Amino acid sequence: MRRPCGIAASVCGIVALFFSTASLSRAQWETPTPAGTAEPAPASIRGTVVAQRNGIPLNRASVVLTPRSAGLPPLSVTTDVKGRYSFSGVPPGVYEIQVSRDGFLPSSTGWMQSYRFPPVFTLRPGADLDALEFRLFPWGVVSGQVTFEDASPAVNAEVALYRDVWRRGSHIYEIAARGRTDDRGNYRLYNISPGTYFLSAGWSRPASVPGAIEQARRDQQGKVVPDQAYAVTFYPSVQKLLDAAPIRLGYGDEATAIDVVLNQTPTVRILGHVTSALTGQWITNPGITLRRVGADDALSVGAAVALSLDQRGGFELSGVAPGAYDLVAEADEDGKHLIGRRLVPVGEESITNLDVLAVPPKKWTGRIRLVNGDPVAEDILSRIRIEAEPRDDLAPSASASPEPDGAFELELAPGETYDIYVRNLPEDAYLASAAAAGVNLISSGADLNPGATPEPMQLGLSLSGAGATGVVLNDDRTVAPGVNIDLVPDPPAGRYQAFQQSYADEYGNFHLTGIPPGKYIMIAWAGEAPCDIYDPGSLPACRAAGAEVTFREGERETVTLRLAHP
């Protein structure tokens, strides 16, 4: 028997026609309609887009209906002056809706009266879904002026807004927005979500005339004056990110007068060349990026420096302030993407003849089998994809489809550490083991040393993952439909493949499968998350907001969650 709807009976009756309680992964593995079967009746969807704060209809909003099944194109419409949209002739299937409009943050959360619509839903044949409303929140804005120490405007200075985030256990600074100043030194960054940010500004002098020989600056006595430049500066006009003032934004907030003053500081130059590992020759036109490295060698931000290249492959970076930098050189050669990295400590003297070796990705072979040693069924192999995600945000990712015998080949950048994932698994399956030369690649990551020939990677697949079925309740014990569900391994270190994110259906029910055995925290939330599930320091807050659950191989747990509040 179905759990009581907990919402208005009319709404409950409507949504029951359109949703399937099966999980998305299950829907993806259902058998397609046999050839020759009559075409199912198309469905339709209608509704409105309004501003969350005042309910005013929003004209010109883009509404995109995207199928989750391959082979079907997305459908797109624009709202009219009354904020209305409609889709007709929609093939039945699993869909999601994304709504966007200038001045507002995009949203995939719809409402039917007080009922929160699940972000992924199933349209039944002939369904006629009416009155699906999307309520958009206004975006945040950060604006200000960048000037030099003499109060003149810094024209065409680059401004970047950073947000510190955790990704698979790594702490990085992610660019949320970037732009350049106008002729008055003013900038305006928009489309910002609520959160805490840090702002940087950098200015590089215009490039010299091609072929011009730059003269060294000298004082009145003819002595060479040390180079000076405007280093990247953080609000409020400090040189170190650790000293920067946070900028906190809510929905629709506008932080104004976030001004930065650039001061000249002694700088040096980095001269060198990039050598191709394929030919042994200098690369004549490499792409070079210089990033300032933080105290833990994991946090880095871009450095505003001037780059010049000569015809023989030499490069020169000028305007480099003292500090530690990560230099990345990239190039394409003989159909291969080459990448080279050097950690460069910069002091008070220029660096000359720096050699950066750019290497192609290295092949790492492997095979995927069941944990008992049996081969994986061909129908599973034909759908799954093996992915290697780098822990460093500057490194490239890689993916491969296995052969019928389970063999695969990944091309990874030497010197980087990767986490291995297997995507598109059937619902009860999970990656149980990953090893090479006796090293557990799930906990430590796949580390490809330069010049080494790695032992083949052995992946073990289990078809007996644990599962969780449950319901989410509000404080008044009514069901909470359409809310987010997070599954967080406890502790998370070395178990990044075990994170899962899902949602509750129209009855507040949720269904998770393919869970590796172990201890977890399950959290249900809507709107603002009560904790950052990828931040190890936020784990106590996650425990307080959720329920602790232990899963065993092949077992199913029934869990009742309370909707968490931030």
Side-chain angles (χ1 to χ4, degrees), residues 205 274 560:
R205 61 182 180 180
V274 181
T560 299

Side-chain angles (χ1 to χ4, degrees), residues 371-404:
V371 288
N372 62 6
D374 291 343
V376 180
E378 186 175 345
D379 64 322
I380 297 178
L381 284 175
S382 65
R383 303 190 185 203
I384 66 176
R385 190 156 184 85
I386 298 164
E387 296 183 356
E389 293 292 338
R391 294 185 179 177
D392 191 311
D393 63 325
L394 294 179
S397 58
S399 63
S401 296
E403 299 293 334

Side-chain angles (χ1 to χ4, degrees), residues 2-13 15-16 111-116 471-482 505-509:
R2 273 287 191 185
R3 188 177 302 275
C5 196
I7 54 178
S10 59
V11 176
C12 186
V15 299
W111 295 84
M112 297 180 67
Q113 299 179 23
S114 61
Y115 163 74
R116 180 188 294 270
V471 65
V472 183
L473 300 178
N474 291 301
D475 292 340
D476 59 2
R477 299 197 64 79
T478 58
V479 298
D505 67 11
E506 73 274 25
Y507 300 100
N509 296 328

